[in-house]
Amino acid sequence: VAHVLAYGEQKDGVVNPHVCSLAHTVKAAGGELSLFGLFNGLQEELPGGIPNHHRGKAWMVKKNWLLLRALATVPNNETVVAVDAFERPLSKVVDTYRRLAAPVARATGIWPVIYGGEANCWPFPHNGEIPVHLTPRSRSPGGDADFVHRIPEHSSMSARHVSHLRDERLPYGDRSPWSIPGSQFCQQWLSDTYARAGADPSDPESVERARRENPFPFLCSGGAVGTAGSLKRVLRHFIRVHVLSGEYDDQAILSKVLLRNRSLGFVDTRGEIFLQLHGHPDSVTERPLCQEGYLERVGAGGATFQDFRPPPLRDAAGATPAVLHFNGNGKRWRKKCSSHLREAGLLGKLDPPI
């Protein structure tokens, strides 16, 4: 069984109507939704405070703090999902999580958190072309990159982003100097990701295969699945990094935490659970996203996700994500996808307009 948690986003004291759509998709996926952060949760003070000039960004940290508080009463061995909207049965999310996380759990003794992946290295600075260093020669001081990873232009928001993280020293590794500058974060993260994917610079086909089969290499903080205990563990590290550094961007904090300790969690780089929709055209899936024919009926007329089958992704080894996340400019798909799911009978007919 999975416990679905979501932040109760509000405007002028009224819960965002998108939450109603989420509640319907959770029900159609076979689960129940719990909201956290209602009743002025964002007006509460954070532990350790937050710099005054970052007050407008405080909600990114507060959502994670409120999630940690909400998890206090959830048993540690219960699977927890934090998402925007489902498009497959909740059982698929749980089964896929267990399959992907089990090797880490066997090796480390703890269940990891799996975060959704995205194509862009946000919010860290980069120019859209990230050098990858895998071989000892390449990793040596002054060594040339083994190859260059290019972020798709339509996803590359932070290529022109003036990041406060450029010159910050970020904790990393088990050897002196124990840190890397923020300007090198994307290449270190990506080098680690390609290494785990089995890319061999001497074999260009293996590099291309690793790139093609892992189209979402960077962490996106908007979707996560793990046991309640594993999420609590990550979020305690999250709060500690925030208190020590004053960092306010939740995606930056979580990326720092996982780069330093990969046993805590990893990214769904293949899109097997999450599809983060920032920077993607409707052709990201084999049938156009949330348009006529997108959901193929396989059941006998019911209105649950057991009765429909969405298409797989085009370039990710046939992965079919269970969860849609409308991050960044992916919010442009939220109304279209809600309408499409409603027409299929999966959102009911009395949702507020969105």
Side-chain angles (χ1 to χ4, degrees):
V1 177
H3 195 129
V4 182
L5 288 169
Y7 166 61
E9 184 180 350
Q10 301 170 72
K11 184 176 182 179
D12 299 326
V14 178
V15 175
N16 191 316
H18 292 299
V19 174
C20 298
S21 296
L22 172 59
H24 277 296
T25 66
V26 170
K27 181 178 180 180
E32 293 184 358
L33 175 67
S34 296
L35 299 180
F36 62 90
L38 296 172
F39 309 114
N40 300 317
L42 292 190
Q43 274 64 59
E44 299 185 36
E45 288 297 315
L46 282 165
I50 196 165
N52 286 334
H53 62 288
H54 292 157
R55 286 282 175 183
K57 304 280 190 177
W59 63 272
M60 290 192 283
V61 172
K62 286 188 176 181
K63 284 198 300 184
N64 289 273
W65 179 49
L66 293 167
L67 174 58
L68 178 59
R69 293 203 322 188
L71 287 168
T73 59
V74 181
N76 283 341
N77 62 350
E78 187 169 331
T79 305
V80 174
V81 187
V83 296
D84 261 13
F86 286 90
E87 64 167 5
R88 298 294 300 278
L90 190 57
S91 58
K92 179 182 184 294
V93 179
V94 176
D95 292 346
T96 305
Y97 166 73
R98 294 283 175 176
R99 173 173 58 81
L100 296 177
V104 175
R106 286 194 296 268
T108 65
I110 60 174
W111 285 91
V113 177
I114 299 179
Y115 283 93
E118 63 171 78
N120 187 32
C121 186
W122 179 268
F124 298 94
H126 62 80
N127 64 3
E129 296 186 349
I130 301 176
V132 177
H133 301 266
L134 296 178
T135 61
R137 173 196 58 78
S138 175
R139 290 179 181 270
S140 63
D144 294 331
D146 289 311
F147 56 90
V148 173
H149 175 97
R150 290 175 174 82
I151 294 178
E153 186 175 352
H154 51 261
S155 298
S156 190
M157 286 179 68
S158 54
R160 290 175 293 277
H161 176 61
V162 181
S163 176
H164 65 285
L165 295 164
R166 179 173 299 278
D167 299 317
E168 181 181 343
R169 300 294 302 188
L170 308 178
Y172 173 73
D174 57 1
R175 299 185 301 275
S176 178
W178 311 99
S179 62
I180 57 173
S183 58
Q184 294 180 15
F185 183 92
C186 296
Q187 68 184 64
Q188 186 61 62
W189 180 279
L190 202 56
S191 296
D192 289 359
T193 299
Y194 269 106
R196 287 195 308 278
D200 180 356
S202 66
D203 179 7
E205 288 187 7
S206 77
V207 172
E208 174 57 26
R209 183 168 57 252
R211 183 208 62 77
R212 184 178 62 253
E213 295 182 355
N214 299 272
F216 312 112
F218 301 105
L219 182 145
C220 178
S221 60
V225 56
T227 65
S230 65
L231 272 164
K232 293 173 191 177
R233 188 179 304 112
V234 169
L235 291 171
R236 290 189 189 105
H237 282 272
F238 176 98
I239 295 300
R240 183 170 181 269
V241 170
H242 161 68
V243 171
L244 291 175
S245 68
E247 177 59 61
Y248 60 83
D249 190 293
D250 60 340
Q251 194 150 301
I253 296 174
L254 287 166
S255 297
K256 294 177 190 181
V257 168
L258 265 59
L259 185 67
R260 187 66 186 271
N261 189 342
R262 291 288 192 171
S263 69
L264 293 173
F266 59 92
V267 170
D268 177 24
T269 58
R270 292 175 177 246
E272 294 187 71
I273 298 176
F274 301 100
L275 174 57
Q276 319 291 349
L277 289 171
H278 166 71
H280 292 301
D282 60 7
S283 59
V284 65
T285 49
E286 289 191 356
R287 297 190 295 274
L289 182 68
C290 293
Q291 297 180 42
E292 184 177 357
Y294 174 71
L295 289 176
E296 177 186 3
R297 179 172 283 282
V298 294
T304 73
F305 285 108
Q306 299 283 4
D307 301 298
F308 294 92
R309 181 168 54 221
L313 301 174
R314 282 192 180 276
D315 295 317
T320 304
V323 178
L324 298 176
H325 176 49
F326 304 98
N327 61 316
N329 62 25
K331 292 178 177 61
R332 72 194 190 282
W333 293 108
R334 185 152 55 183
K335 184 173 182 178
K336 180 183 287 288
C337 289
S338 294
S339 297
H340 186 72
L341 294 175
R342 183 179 293 108
E343 290 170 2
L346 294 168
L347 292 189
K349 302 186 180 300
L350 299 176
D351 282 357
I354 59 175

